[in-house]
Amino acid sequence: MADREQPVTLRTRKFIRNPLLGRKQMVVDVLHPSRPNVSKDELRSKLAELYKASKDTVSVFGFRTQYGGGKSTGFALIYDSNEVMKKFEPRYRLVRYGQATKIEKASRQQRKQRKNRAKTVRGTAKTKGVEKKKKK
């Protein structure tokens, strides 16, 4: 955890206040010359402190480290409230921040196989494991 003590500088560019979506949006430049990278969790807490907001209303994503290291650039959204964030933020990001639960479903391949098995028994009751009709 010695990395967390190393200095990190945050600079925001292209700051826009978006009242329709109830948020502030900006491009964030992170200068971290003596560390390989900065965690999104740490960036969320630093931005919340900088803009006097709750950490739960800050969303950061799309960070890319420049070639040679030392600088990363990404995007940040700071919502006015938790309710607005839950309304407009994509579900996968809410799951990332622990504000929503992931919907567990079968894998893509299993869903396709189930669909194709159901197609083979067209016109009959679609139950699992129906045997195919033999040709004469």
Side-chain angles (χ1 to χ4, degrees), residues 94-129:
L94 290 174
V95 169
R96 236 181 235 177
Y97 305 138
Q99 296 179 5
T101 55
K102 187 176 181 187
I103 300 170
E104 294 297 329
K105 53 186 176 184
S107 72
R108 186 175 169 91
Q109 186 175 7
Q110 287 174 334
R111 286 181 291 180
K112 287 183 174 195
Q113 287 171 346
R114 188 182 307 129
K115 174 198 53 120
N116 289 329
R117 270 200 305 275
K119 279 170 34 178
T120 60
V121 291
R122 185 171 161 262
T124 62
K126 290 178 174 42
T127 57
K128 197 170 187 181

PDB file of all heavy atoms in Angstrom, residues 94-129:
ATOM      1  N   LEU A  94     -23.434   0.977 -11.979  1.00  0.00           N
ATOM      2  CA  LEU A  94     -24.016   0.962 -10.634  1.00  0.00           C
ATOM      3  C   LEU A  94     -23.589  -0.311  -9.902  1.00  0.00           C
ATOM      4  O   LEU A  94     -23.306  -0.290  -8.704  1.00  0.00           O
ATOM      5  CB  LEU A  94     -25.536   1.051 -10.699  1.00  0.00           C
ATOM      6  CG  LEU A  94     -26.107   2.403 -11.151  1.00  0.00           C
ATOM      7  CD1 LEU A  94     -27.612   2.299 -11.317  1.00  0.00           C
ATOM      8  CD2 LEU A  94     -25.749   3.515 -10.190  1.00  0.00           C
ATOM      9  N   VAL A  95     -23.536  -1.437 -10.643  1.00  0.00           N
ATOM     10  CA  VAL A  95     -23.084  -2.703 -10.052  1.00  0.00           C
ATOM     11  C   VAL A  95     -21.631  -2.563  -9.613  1.00  0.00           C
ATOM     12  O   VAL A  95     -21.241  -3.018  -8.538  1.00  0.00           O
ATOM     13  CB  VAL A  95     -23.250  -3.869 -11.051  1.00  0.00           C
ATOM     14  CG1 VAL A  95     -22.556  -5.119 -10.560  1.00  0.00           C
ATOM     15  CG2 VAL A  95     -24.723  -4.128 -11.309  1.00  0.00           C
ATOM     16  N   ARG A  96     -20.812  -1.909 -10.436  1.00  0.00           N
ATOM     17  CA  ARG A  96     -19.405  -1.667 -10.128  1.00  0.00           C
ATOM     18  C   ARG A  96     -19.223  -0.919  -8.808  1.00  0.00           C
ATOM     19  O   ARG A  96     -18.328  -1.210  -8.030  1.00  0.00           O
ATOM     20  CB  ARG A  96     -18.815  -0.787 -11.232  1.00  0.00           C
ATOM     21  CG  ARG A  96     -17.615  -1.349 -11.925  1.00  0.00           C
ATOM     22  CD  ARG A  96     -17.136  -0.371 -12.952  1.00  0.00           C
ATOM     23  NE  ARG A  96     -17.062  -0.994 -14.263  1.00  0.00           N
ATOM     24  CZ  ARG A  96     -16.730  -0.359 -15.364  1.00  0.00           C
ATOM     25  NH1 ARG A  96     -16.479   0.933 -15.339  1.00  0.00           N
ATOM     26  NH2 ARG A  96     -16.672  -0.986 -16.505  1.00  0.00           N
ATOM     27  N   TYR A  97     -20.104   0.065  -8.582  1.00  0.00           N
ATOM     28  CA  TYR A  97     -20.005   0.900  -7.384  1.00  0.00           C
ATOM     29  C   TYR A  97     -20.779   0.329  -6.206  1.00  0.00           C
ATOM     30  O   TYR A  97     -20.843   0.938  -5.150  1.00  0.00           O
ATOM     31  CB  TYR A  97     -20.494   2.323  -7.670  1.00  0.00           C
ATOM     32  CG  TYR A  97     -19.785   2.980  -8.831  1.00  0.00           C
ATOM     33  CD1 TYR A  97     -20.491   3.719  -9.765  1.00  0.00           C
ATOM     34  CD2 TYR A  97     -18.413   2.851  -9.003  1.00  0.00           C
ATOM     35  CE1 TYR A  97     -19.849   4.325 -10.836  1.00  0.00           C
ATOM     36  CE2 TYR A  97     -17.765   3.447 -10.072  1.00  0.00           C
ATOM     37  CZ  TYR A  97     -18.489   4.180 -10.982  1.00  0.00           C
ATOM     38  OH  TYR A  97     -17.851   4.762 -12.041  1.00  0.00           O
ATOM     39  N   GLY A  98     -21.408  -0.838  -6.390  1.00  0.00           N
ATOM     40  CA  GLY A  98     -22.119  -1.487  -5.298  1.00  0.00           C
ATOM     41  C   GLY A  98     -23.479  -0.886  -5.003  1.00  0.00           C
ATOM     42  O   GLY A  98     -24.009  -1.070  -3.913  1.00  0.00           O
ATOM     43  N   GLN A  99     -24.068  -0.168  -5.969  1.00  0.00           N
ATOM     44  CA  GLN A  99     -25.370   0.464  -5.746  1.00  0.00           C
ATOM     45  C   GLN A  99     -26.510  -0.317  -6.395  1.00  0.00           C
ATOM     46  O   GLN A  99     -27.669   0.064  -6.295  1.00  0.00           O
ATOM     47  CB  GLN A  99     -25.356   1.896  -6.270  1.00  0.00           C
ATOM     48  CG  GLN A  99     -24.379   2.764  -5.519  1.00  0.00           C
ATOM     49  CD  GLN A  99     -24.347   4.179  -6.044  1.00  0.00           C
ATOM     50  OE1 GLN A  99     -25.113   4.545  -6.916  1.00  0.00           O
ATOM     51  NE2 GLN A  99     -23.456   4.985  -5.507  1.00  0.00           N
ATOM     52  N   ALA A 100     -26.187  -1.400  -7.096  1.00  0.00           N
ATOM     53  CA  ALA A 100     -27.197  -2.267  -7.699  1.00  0.00           C
ATOM     54  C   ALA A 100     -26.653  -3.689  -7.670  1.00  0.00           C
ATOM     55  O   ALA A 100     -25.449  -3.902  -7.518  1.00  0.00           O
ATOM     56  CB  ALA A 100     -27.495  -1.833  -9.135  1.00  0.00           C
ATOM     57  N   THR A 101     -27.555  -4.654  -7.832  1.00  0.00           N
ATOM     58  CA  THR A 101     -27.116  -6.048  -7.857  1.00  0.00           C
ATOM     59  C   THR A 101     -27.108  -6.545  -9.291  1.00  0.00           C
ATOM     60  O   THR A 101     -27.962  -6.162 -10.100  1.00  0.00           O
ATOM     61  CB  THR A 101     -28.052  -6.935  -7.016  1.00  0.00           C
ATOM     62  OG1 THR A 101     -29.390  -6.751  -7.489  1.00  0.00           O
ATOM     63  CG2 THR A 101     -27.971  -6.569  -5.549  1.00  0.00           C
ATOM     64  N   LYS A 102     -26.164  -7.408  -9.578  1.00  0.00           N
ATOM     65  CA  LYS A 102     -26.034  -7.956 -10.920  1.00  0.00           C
ATOM     66  C   LYS A 102     -27.126  -8.996 -11.161  1.00  0.00           C
ATOM     67  O   LYS A 102     -27.406  -9.824 -10.289  1.00  0.00           O
ATOM     68  CB  LYS A 102     -24.653  -8.594 -11.094  1.00  0.00           C
ATOM     69  CG  LYS A 102     -24.376  -9.044 -12.497  1.00  0.00           C
ATOM     70  CD  LYS A 102     -22.966  -9.581 -12.651  1.00  0.00           C
ATOM     71  CE  LYS A 102     -22.734  -9.996 -14.085  1.00  0.00           C
ATOM     72  NZ  LYS A 102     -21.455 -10.661 -14.258  1.00  0.00           N
ATOM     73  N   ILE A 103     -27.749  -8.938 -12.326  1.00  0.00           N
ATOM     74  CA  ILE A 103     -28.770  -9.921 -12.684  1.00  0.00           C
ATOM     75  C   ILE A 103     -28.056 -11.173 -13.171  1.00  0.00           C
ATOM     76  O   ILE A 103     -27.329 -11.133 -14.174  1.00  0.00           O
ATOM     77  CB  ILE A 103     -29.704  -9.373 -13.786  1.00  0.00           C
ATOM     78  CG1 ILE A 103     -30.397  -8.102 -13.304  1.00  0.00           C
ATOM     79  CG2 ILE A 103     -30.716 -10.421 -14.204  1.00  0.00           C
ATOM     80  CD1 ILE A 103     -31.147  -7.355 -14.388  1.00  0.00           C
ATOM     81  N   GLU A 104     -28.235 -12.275 -12.456  1.00  0.00           N
ATOM     82  CA  GLU A 104     -27.585 -13.530 -12.840  1.00  0.00           C
ATOM     83  C   GLU A 104     -28.442 -14.225 -13.888  1.00  0.00           C
ATOM     84  O   GLU A 104     -29.634 -14.468 -13.669  1.00  0.00           O
ATOM     85  CB  GLU A 104     -27.420 -14.437 -11.619  1.00  0.00           C
ATOM     86  CG  GLU A 104     -26.468 -13.900 -10.572  1.00  0.00           C
ATOM     87  CD  GLU A 104     -25.039 -13.747 -11.069  1.00  0.00           C
ATOM     88  OE1 GLU A 104     -24.615 -14.536 -11.937  1.00  0.00           O
ATOM     89  OE2 GLU A 104     -24.356 -12.834 -10.592  1.00  0.00           O
ATOM     90  N   LYS A 105     -27.843 -14.515 -15.026  1.00  0.00           N
ATOM     91  CA  LYS A 105     -28.547 -15.252 -16.073  1.00  0.00           C
ATOM     92  C   LYS A 105     -27.601 -16.257 -16.701  1.00  0.00           C
ATOM     93  O   LYS A 105     -26.383 -16.167 -16.519  1.00  0.00           O
ATOM     94  CB  LYS A 105     -29.119 -14.295 -17.123  1.00  0.00           C
ATOM     95  CG  LYS A 105     -28.129 -13.332 -17.732  1.00  0.00           C
ATOM     96  CD  LYS A 105     -28.846 -12.353 -18.629  1.00  0.00           C
ATOM     97  CE  LYS A 105     -27.873 -11.315 -19.183  1.00  0.00           C
ATOM     98  NZ  LYS A 105     -28.520 -10.302 -19.969  1.00  0.00           N
ATOM     99  N   ALA A 106     -28.172 -17.200 -17.433  1.00  0.00           N
ATOM    100  CA  ALA A 106     -27.362 -18.239 -18.061  1.00  0.00           C
ATOM    101  C   ALA A 106     -26.422 -17.610 -19.084  1.00  0.00           C
ATOM    102  O   ALA A 106     -26.684 -16.522 -19.603  1.00  0.00           O
ATOM    103  CB  ALA A 106     -28.265 -19.258 -18.741  1.00  0.00           C
ATOM    104  N   SER A 107     -25.331 -18.328 -19.382  1.00  0.00           N
ATOM    105  CA  SER A 107     -24.367 -17.783 -20.330  1.00  0.00           C
ATOM    106  C   SER A 107     -25.003 -17.654 -21.714  1.00  0.00           C
ATOM    107  O   SER A 107     -26.003 -18.301 -22.027  1.00  0.00           O
ATOM    108  CB  SER A 107     -23.136 -18.681 -20.407  1.00  0.00           C
ATOM    109  OG  SER A 107     -23.448 -19.872 -21.087  1.00  0.00           O
ATOM    110  N   ARG A 108     -24.415 -16.818 -22.536  1.00  0.00           N
ATOM    111  CA  ARG A 108     -24.926 -16.548 -23.880  1.00  0.00           C
ATOM    112  C   ARG A 108     -25.047 -17.847 -24.689  1.00  0.00           C
ATOM    113  O   ARG A 108     -26.029 -18.074 -25.374  1.00  0.00           O
ATOM    114  CB  ARG A 108     -23.985 -15.557 -24.562  1.00  0.00           C
ATOM    115  CG  ARG A 108     -24.462 -15.076 -25.909  1.00  0.00           C
ATOM    116  CD  ARG A 108     -23.501 -14.003 -26.417  1.00  0.00           C
ATOM    117  NE  ARG A 108     -23.745 -13.683 -27.800  1.00  0.00           N
ATOM    118  CZ  ARG A 108     -24.567 -12.733 -28.205  1.00  0.00           C
ATOM    119  NH1 ARG A 108     -25.235 -12.028 -27.330  1.00  0.00           N
ATOM    120  NH2 ARG A 108     -24.728 -12.489 -29.492  1.00  0.00           N
ATOM    121  N   GLN A 109     -24.029 -18.700 -24.584  1.00  0.00           N
ATOM    122  CA  GLN A 109     -24.040 -19.950 -25.334  1.00  0.00           C
ATOM    123  C   GLN A 109     -25.186 -20.855 -24.867  1.00  0.00           C
ATOM    124  O   GLN A 109     -25.875 -21.456 -25.690  1.00  0.00           O
ATOM    125  CB  GLN A 109     -22.707 -20.661 -25.169  1.00  0.00           C
ATOM    126  CG  GLN A 109     -22.591 -21.902 -26.032  1.00  0.00           C
ATOM    127  CD  GLN A 109     -21.211 -22.537 -25.939  1.00  0.00           C
ATOM    128  OE1 GLN A 109     -20.387 -22.121 -25.134  1.00  0.00           O
ATOM    129  NE2 GLN A 109     -20.972 -23.530 -26.757  1.00  0.00           N
ATOM    130  N   GLN A 110     -25.414 -20.936 -23.558  1.00  0.00           N
ATOM    131  CA  GLN A 110     -26.507 -21.757 -23.045  1.00  0.00           C
ATOM    132  C   GLN A 110     -27.861 -21.244 -23.503  1.00  0.00           C
ATOM    133  O   GLN A 110     -28.752 -22.022 -23.836  1.00  0.00           O
ATOM    134  CB  GLN A 110     -26.468 -21.790 -21.517  1.00  0.00           C
ATOM    135  CG  GLN A 110     -25.350 -22.642 -20.962  1.00  0.00           C
ATOM    136  CD  GLN A 110     -25.257 -22.539 -19.459  1.00  0.00           C
ATOM    137  OE1 GLN A 110     -25.662 -21.539 -18.866  1.00  0.00           O
ATOM    138  NE2 GLN A 110     -24.718 -23.575 -18.831  1.00  0.00           N
ATOM    139  N   ARG A 111     -28.021 -19.911 -23.540  1.00  0.00           N
ATOM    140  CA  ARG A 111     -29.293 -19.331 -24.006  1.00  0.00           C
ATOM    141  C   ARG A 111     -29.537 -19.672 -25.477  1.00  0.00           C
ATOM    142  O   ARG A 111     -30.649 -20.000 -25.877  1.00  0.00           O
ATOM    143  CB  ARG A 111     -29.306 -17.819 -23.800  1.00  0.00           C
ATOM    144  CG  ARG A 111     -29.478 -17.427 -22.336  1.00  0.00           C
ATOM    145  CD  ARG A 111     -29.517 -15.956 -22.164  1.00  0.00           C
ATOM    146  NE  ARG A 111     -28.184 -15.402 -22.453  1.00  0.00           N
ATOM    147  CZ  ARG A 111     -27.865 -14.122 -22.403  1.00  0.00           C
ATOM    148  NH1 ARG A 111     -28.754 -13.241 -22.056  1.00  0.00           N
ATOM    149  NH2 ARG A 111     -26.652 -13.708 -22.676  1.00  0.00           N
ATOM    150  N   LYS A 112     -28.481 -19.594 -26.295  1.00  0.00           N
ATOM    151  CA  LYS A 112     -28.624 -19.918 -27.714  1.00  0.00           C
ATOM    152  C   LYS A 112     -28.944 -21.392 -27.910  1.00  0.00           C
ATOM    153  O   LYS A 112     -29.772 -21.755 -28.755  1.00  0.00           O
ATOM    154  CB  LYS A 112     -27.332 -19.566 -28.464  1.00  0.00           C
ATOM    155  CG  LYS A 112     -27.131 -18.086 -28.633  1.00  0.00           C
ATOM    156  CD  LYS A 112     -25.881 -17.824 -29.441  1.00  0.00           C
ATOM    157  CE  LYS A 112     -25.753 -16.359 -29.746  1.00  0.00           C
ATOM    158  NZ  LYS A 112     -24.787 -16.097 -30.796  1.00  0.00           N
ATOM    159  N   GLN A 113     -28.294 -22.265 -27.135  1.00  0.00           N
ATOM    160  CA  GLN A 113     -28.568 -23.697 -27.251  1.00  0.00           C
ATOM    161  C   GLN A 113     -30.003 -24.007 -26.858  1.00  0.00           C
ATOM    162  O   GLN A 113     -30.673 -24.810 -27.504  1.00  0.00           O
ATOM    163  CB  GLN A 113     -27.592 -24.493 -26.380  1.00  0.00           C
ATOM    164  CG  GLN A 113     -26.187 -24.524 -26.946  1.00  0.00           C
ATOM    165  CD  GLN A 113     -25.180 -25.118 -25.988  1.00  0.00           C
ATOM    166  OE1 GLN A 113     -25.454 -25.277 -24.806  1.00  0.00           O
ATOM    167  NE2 GLN A 113     -24.000 -25.429 -26.502  1.00  0.00           N
ATOM    168  N   ARG A 114     -30.504 -23.366 -25.811  1.00  0.00           N
ATOM    169  CA  ARG A 114     -31.876 -23.577 -25.369  1.00  0.00           C
ATOM    170  C   ARG A 114     -32.866 -23.112 -26.449  1.00  0.00           C
ATOM    171  O   ARG A 114     -33.840 -23.790 -26.746  1.00  0.00           O
ATOM    172  CB  ARG A 114     -32.143 -22.812 -24.070  1.00  0.00           C
ATOM    173  CG  ARG A 114     -33.501 -23.160 -23.477  1.00  0.00           C
ATOM    174  CD  ARG A 114     -33.830 -22.395 -22.213  1.00  0.00           C
ATOM    175  NE  ARG A 114     -32.798 -22.508 -21.200  1.00  0.00           N
ATOM    176  CZ  ARG A 114     -32.240 -21.472 -20.565  1.00  0.00           C
ATOM    177  NH1 ARG A 114     -32.612 -20.247 -20.846  1.00  0.00           N
ATOM    178  NH2 ARG A 114     -31.315 -21.672 -19.648  1.00  0.00           N
ATOM    179  N   LYS A 115     -32.556 -21.972 -27.083  1.00  0.00           N
ATOM    180  CA  LYS A 115     -33.405 -21.462 -28.154  1.00  0.00           C
ATOM    181  C   LYS A 115     -33.441 -22.442 -29.323  1.00  0.00           C
ATOM    182  O   LYS A 115     -34.513 -22.755 -29.866  1.00  0.00           O
ATOM    183  CB  LYS A 115     -32.870 -20.105 -28.643  1.00  0.00           C
ATOM    184  CG  LYS A 115     -33.604 -19.570 -29.869  1.00  0.00           C
ATOM    185  CD  LYS A 115     -32.846 -18.504 -30.617  1.00  0.00           C
ATOM    186  CE  LYS A 115     -31.461 -18.872 -31.010  1.00  0.00           C
ATOM    187  NZ  LYS A 115     -31.139 -18.870 -32.413  1.00  0.00           N
ATOM    188  N   ASN A 116     -32.284 -22.981 -29.702  1.00  0.00           N
ATOM    189  CA  ASN A 116     -32.222 -23.894 -30.841  1.00  0.00           C
ATOM    190  C   ASN A 116     -32.861 -25.250 -30.528  1.00  0.00           C
ATOM    191  O   ASN A 116     -33.459 -25.865 -31.410  1.00  0.00           O
ATOM    192  CB  ASN A 116     -30.778 -24.065 -31.307  1.00  0.00           C
ATOM    193  CG  ASN A 116     -30.274 -22.805 -31.982  1.00  0.00           C
ATOM    194  OD1 ASN A 116     -31.048 -22.069 -32.592  1.00  0.00           O
ATOM    195  ND2 ASN A 116     -28.999 -22.530 -31.845  1.00  0.00           N
ATOM    196  N   ARG A 117     -32.755 -25.710 -29.270  1.00  0.00           N
ATOM    197  CA  ARG A 117     -33.451 -26.946 -28.885  1.00  0.00           C
ATOM    198  C   ARG A 117     -34.963 -26.744 -28.969  1.00  0.00           C
ATOM    199  O   ARG A 117     -35.691 -27.627 -29.391  1.00  0.00           O
ATOM    200  CB  ARG A 117     -33.074 -27.345 -27.456  1.00  0.00           C
ATOM    201  CG  ARG A 117     -31.870 -28.257 -27.384  1.00  0.00           C
ATOM    202  CD  ARG A 117     -31.802 -29.002 -26.069  1.00  0.00           C
ATOM    203  NE  ARG A 117     -31.835 -28.134 -24.900  1.00  0.00           N
ATOM    204  CZ  ARG A 117     -30.774 -27.532 -24.366  1.00  0.00           C
ATOM    205  NH1 ARG A 117     -29.580 -27.710 -24.901  1.00  0.00           N
ATOM    206  NH2 ARG A 117     -30.903 -26.780 -23.300  1.00  0.00           N
ATOM    207  N   ALA A 118     -35.431 -25.579 -28.580  1.00  0.00           N
ATOM    208  CA  ALA A 118     -36.869 -25.291 -28.634  1.00  0.00           C
ATOM    209  C   ALA A 118     -37.352 -25.244 -30.085  1.00  0.00           C
ATOM    210  O   ALA A 118     -38.497 -25.603 -30.369  1.00  0.00           O
ATOM    211  CB  ALA A 118     -37.171 -23.985 -27.931  1.00  0.00           C
ATOM    212  N   LYS A 119     -36.482 -24.829 -31.015  1.00  0.00           N
ATOM    213  CA  LYS A 119     -36.870 -24.771 -32.425  1.00  0.00           C
ATOM    214  C   LYS A 119     -37.076 -26.162 -33.015  1.00  0.00           C
ATOM    215  O   LYS A 119     -37.886 -26.337 -33.928  1.00  0.00           O
ATOM    216  CB  LYS A 119     -35.794 -24.026 -33.227  1.00  0.00           C
ATOM    217  CG  LYS A 119     -35.929 -22.521 -33.101  1.00  0.00           C
ATOM    218  CD  LYS A 119     -34.787 -21.703 -33.653  1.00  0.00           C
ATOM    219  CE  LYS A 119     -34.057 -22.190 -34.849  1.00  0.00           C
ATOM    220  NZ  LYS A 119     -33.000 -21.265 -35.293  1.00  0.00           N
ATOM    221  N   THR A 120     -36.345 -27.164 -32.503  1.00  0.00           N
ATOM    222  CA  THR A 120     -36.442 -28.510 -33.080  1.00  0.00           C
ATOM    223  C   THR A 120     -37.765 -29.183 -32.745  1.00  0.00           C
ATOM    224  O   THR A 120     -38.175 -30.104 -33.439  1.00  0.00           O
ATOM    225  CB  THR A 120     -35.287 -29.409 -32.588  1.00  0.00           C
ATOM    226  OG1 THR A 120     -35.354 -29.504 -31.176  1.00  0.00           O
ATOM    227  CG2 THR A 120     -33.946 -28.846 -33.010  1.00  0.00           C
ATOM    228  N   VAL A 121     -38.440 -28.751 -31.691  1.00  0.00           N
ATOM    229  CA  VAL A 121     -39.689 -29.392 -31.291  1.00  0.00           C
ATOM    230  C   VAL A 121     -40.877 -28.483 -31.594  1.00  0.00           C
ATOM    231  O   VAL A 121     -41.815 -28.392 -30.828  1.00  0.00           O
ATOM    232  CB  VAL A 121     -39.667 -29.777 -29.794  1.00  0.00           C
ATOM    233  CG1 VAL A 121     -38.687 -30.903 -29.558  1.00  0.00           C
ATOM    234  CG2 VAL A 121     -39.344 -28.585 -28.927  1.00  0.00           C
ATOM    235  N   ARG A 122     -40.821 -27.824 -32.732  1.00  0.00           N
ATOM    236  CA  ARG A 122     -41.868 -26.883 -33.111  1.00  0.00           C
ATOM    237  C   ARG A 122     -43.210 -27.602 -33.257  1.00  0.00           C
ATOM    238  O   ARG A 122     -43.300 -28.647 -33.896  1.00  0.00           O
ATOM    239  CB  ARG A 122     -41.487 -26.225 -34.437  1.00  0.00           C
ATOM    240  CG  ARG A 122     -42.442 -25.141 -34.865  1.00  0.00           C
ATOM    241  CD  ARG A 122     -41.875 -24.400 -36.067  1.00  0.00           C
ATOM    242  NE  ARG A 122     -42.958 -23.703 -36.732  1.00  0.00           N
ATOM    243  CZ  ARG A 122     -43.594 -24.167 -37.793  1.00  0.00           C
ATOM    244  NH1 ARG A 122     -43.239 -25.324 -38.325  1.00  0.00           N
ATOM    245  NH2 ARG A 122     -44.575 -23.490 -38.335  1.00  0.00           N
ATOM    246  N   GLY A 123     -44.239 -27.054 -32.651  1.00  0.00           N
ATOM    247  CA  GLY A 123     -45.574 -27.632 -32.768  1.00  0.00           C
ATOM    248  C   GLY A 123     -45.910 -28.607 -31.656  1.00  0.00           C
ATOM    249  O   GLY A 123     -47.031 -29.056 -31.545  1.00  0.00           O
ATOM    250  N   THR A 124     -44.958 -28.977 -30.830  1.00  0.00           N
ATOM    251  CA  THR A 124     -45.220 -29.877 -29.705  1.00  0.00           C
ATOM    252  C   THR A 124     -44.949 -29.118 -28.408  1.00  0.00           C
ATOM    253  O   THR A 124     -44.445 -27.998 -28.431  1.00  0.00           O
ATOM    254  CB  THR A 124     -44.318 -31.123 -29.762  1.00  0.00           C
ATOM    255  OG1 THR A 124     -42.950 -30.682 -29.673  1.00  0.00           O
ATOM    256  CG2 THR A 124     -44.507 -31.900 -31.043  1.00  0.00           C
ATOM    257  N   ALA A 125     -45.267 -29.736 -27.307  1.00  0.00           N
ATOM    258  CA  ALA A 125     -45.023 -29.095 -26.015  1.00  0.00           C
ATOM    259  C   ALA A 125     -43.521 -28.938 -25.821  1.00  0.00           C
ATOM    260  O   ALA A 125     -42.759 -29.888 -25.983  1.00  0.00           O
ATOM    261  CB  ALA A 125     -45.614 -29.947 -24.898  1.00  0.00           C
ATOM    262  N   LYS A 126     -43.090 -27.718 -25.485  1.00  0.00           N
ATOM    263  CA  LYS A 126     -41.655 -27.440 -25.368  1.00  0.00           C
ATOM    264  C   LYS A 126     -41.187 -27.746 -23.951  1.00  0.00           C
ATOM    265  O   LYS A 126     -41.183 -26.895 -23.076  1.00  0.00           O
ATOM    266  CB  LYS A 126     -41.387 -25.989 -25.727  1.00  0.00           C
ATOM    267  CG  LYS A 126     -41.582 -25.697 -27.200  1.00  0.00           C
ATOM    268  CD  LYS A 126     -41.340 -24.240 -27.490  1.00  0.00           C
ATOM    269  CE  LYS A 126     -41.384 -23.898 -28.949  1.00  0.00           C
ATOM    270  NZ  LYS A 126     -42.389 -24.474 -29.740  1.00  0.00           N
ATOM    271  N   THR A 127     -40.798 -28.995 -23.727  1.00  0.00           N
ATOM    272  CA  THR A 127     -40.226 -29.377 -22.438  1.00  0.00           C
ATOM    273  C   THR A 127     -38.785 -29.756 -22.655  1.00  0.00           C
ATOM    274  O   THR A 127     -38.382 -30.132 -23.762  1.00  0.00           O
ATOM    275  CB  THR A 127     -40.992 -30.569 -21.819  1.00  0.00           C
ATOM    276  OG1 THR A 127     -40.967 -31.650 -22.751  1.00  0.00           O
ATOM    277  CG2 THR A 127     -42.415 -30.191 -21.483  1.00  0.00           C
ATOM    278  N   LYS A 128     -38.016 -29.703 -21.605  1.00  0.00           N
ATOM    279  CA  LYS A 128     -36.579 -29.969 -21.714  1.00  0.00           C
ATOM    280  C   LYS A 128     -36.343 -31.456 -22.001  1.00  0.00           C
ATOM    281  O   LYS A 128     -36.962 -32.317 -21.389  1.00  0.00           O
ATOM    282  CB  LYS A 128     -35.899 -29.570 -20.408  1.00  0.00           C
ATOM    283  CG  LYS A 128     -34.414 -29.402 -20.528  1.00  0.00           C
ATOM    284  CD  LYS A 128     -33.856 -28.776 -19.287  1.00  0.00           C
ATOM    285  CE  LYS A 128     -32.393 -28.450 -19.473  1.00  0.00           C
ATOM    286  NZ  LYS A 128     -31.812 -27.862 -18.307  1.00  0.00           N
ATOM    287  N   GLY A 129     -35.462 -31.732 -22.931  1.00  0.00           N
ATOM    288  CA  GLY A 129     -35.059 -33.108 -23.207  1.00  0.00           C
ATOM    289  C   GLY A 129     -36.019 -33.899 -24.081  1.00  0.00           C
ATOM    290  O   GLY A 129     -36.070 -35.119 -24.000  1.00  0.00           O
TER     291      GLY A 129
END
